[in-house]
């Protein structure tokens, strides 16, 4: 049988970008896991099916330490797709790859060397068009709404067991009974607003409170949630 000749390549390559949640290992493993376990107990299944990256924040001393972090997270059902903040010598083929080029929230200013002319100022960049998601229906239990590029507005209620994650702020024009996590991209600039507070969990820039932590006087009220002096604040509207 004569071989069949093909014209053109048989393998196609495409570049794609994906959004991942990043866990920042900015404390010792034992202390970090104590807080992480509390989070998992109060919000079970939060990381199920999520794309997660571990940022060692330059704190890893050796490969064995990186392996311990990976193993502890795997034991808790967190599967990593990549690592940041580690040296190439700390990673082998059995571990998640090192990722580069992630978008930073803020950038450091340029450094000018002595005796050299300062670089020409860059032209100001046009602000990026915000991507704000509007959901014009009730968010049912088990649903997960995510928009890491901007705000999320829910014109309706968020049921118990539902989840809203926003890079910016979250606005709920109804009862918030599920989980609301704001500031995933824009940090402390984000806030949460709801017409009726009954949340299982609320968080802004990583600071969070669960239903057990909420002031009973705020239940059933219109509430604003924000960060002030590195602490999560709540007030009636």
């Amino acid at each position: 049988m004569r071989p069949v000749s093909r014209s053109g390549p048989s393998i196609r390559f495409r570049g794609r970008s994906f959004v991942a949640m990043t866990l920042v290992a900015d404390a010792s493993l034992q202390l970090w896991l104590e807080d992480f376990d509390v989070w998992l107990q109060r919000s079970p299944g939060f990381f199920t099916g999520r794309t997660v990256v571990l940022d060692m924040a330059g704190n890893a001393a050796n490969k064995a330490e990186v392996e311990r972090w990976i193993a502890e997270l795997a034991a808790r059902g967190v599967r990593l797709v990549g690592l940041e903040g580690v040296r190439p010598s700390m990673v082998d083929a059995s571990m998640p790859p090192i990722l580069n080029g992630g978008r930073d929230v803020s950038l450091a200013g340029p450094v000018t060397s002595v005796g050299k002319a300062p670089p020409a100022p860059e032209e100001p960049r046009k602000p990026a068009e915000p991507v704000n998601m509007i959901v014009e229906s009730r968010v049912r239990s088990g649903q997960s709404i995510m928009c890491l590029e901007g705000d999320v507005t829910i014109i309706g209620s968020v049921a118990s067991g539902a989840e809203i994650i926003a890079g910016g702020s979250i606005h709920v024009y109804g009862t918030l009974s599920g989980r609301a996590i704001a500031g995933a991209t824009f940090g402390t600039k984000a806030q949460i607003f709801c017409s009726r507070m009954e949340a299982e969990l609320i968080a802004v820039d990583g600071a969070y409170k669960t239903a057990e932590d909420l002031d009973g006087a705020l239940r059933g009220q219109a509430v604003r949630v924000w960060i002030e002096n590195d602490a999560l604040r709540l007030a009636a509207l």
Side-chain angles (χ1 to χ4, degrees):
M1 180 180 294
R2 297 178 60 186
V4 178
S5 61
R6 294 182 179 181
S7 59
S10 59
I11 301 175
R12 301 168 65 189
F13 295 92
R14 289 180 178 175
R16 291 185 181 178
S17 60
F18 296 87
V19 175
M21 300 190 70
T22 301
L23 291 173
V24 182
D26 54 359
S28 67
L29 179 59
Q30 183 177 355
L31 291 176
W32 192 91
L33 285 176
E34 289 177 1
D35 288 340
F36 189 68
D37 286 340
V38 171
W39 174 278
L40 290 180
Q41 290 172 5
R42 294 178 174 178
S43 188
F46 178 80
F47 290 96
T48 302
R50 299 209 183 279
T51 303
V52 182
V53 173
L54 176 64
D55 182 0
M56 298 296 294
N59 291 329
N62 50 54
K63 179 182 175 183
E65 186 175 355
V66 178
E67 290 175 329
R68 282 194 296 272
W69 278 86
I70 295 173
E72 291 289 354
L73 289 172
R76 290 161 173 79
V78 180
R79 298 182 62 184
L80 301 175
V81 300
L83 300 168
E84 289 186 308
V86 298
R87 297 190 300 274
S89 60
M90 298 179 181
V91 178
D92 61 32
S94 66
M95 302 162 67
I98 296 176
L99 301 181
N100 296 303
R103 185 176 63 185
D104 294 329
V105 175
S106 60
L107 298 176
V111 177
T112 303
S113 301
V114 177
K116 293 184 179 180
E122 295 183 359
E123 295 183 3
R125 296 181 180 179
K126 295 181 180 179
E129 187 70 20
V131 180
N132 297 325
M133 178 184 293
I134 299 177
V135 179
E136 299 184 5
S137 62
R138 181 173 182 267
V139 183
R140 298 185 301 275
S141 179
Q143 280 188 292
S144 181
I145 305 296
M146 180 183 293
C147 176
L148 298 183
E149 296 80 16
D151 295 356
V152 174
T153 299
I154 309 295
I155 305 177
S157 298
V158 179
S160 176
E163 177 182 86
I164 311 297
I165 302 176
S169 297
I170 295 175
H171 309 259
V172 179
Y173 293 96
T175 301
L176 172 57
S177 297
R179 300 188 292 265
I181 300 164
T185 302
F186 302 107
T188 57
K189 296 179 180 180
Q191 300 187 47
I192 298 173
F193 303 88
C194 67
S195 299
R196 181 182 175 88
M197 173 61 73
E198 298 287 350
E200 298 169 346
L201 181 144
I202 51 173
V204 178
D205 191 34
Y208 68 93
K209 289 182 180 291
T210 63
E212 294 82 1
D213 303 323
L214 296 178
D215 184 351
L218 295 176
R219 289 197 169 277
Q221 304 297 314
V223 171
R224 171 198 175 203
V225 184
W226 75 102
I227 293 288
E228 183 178 317
N229 297 327
D230 297 325
L232 195 66
R233 308 291 185 185
L234 292 86
L237 291 173

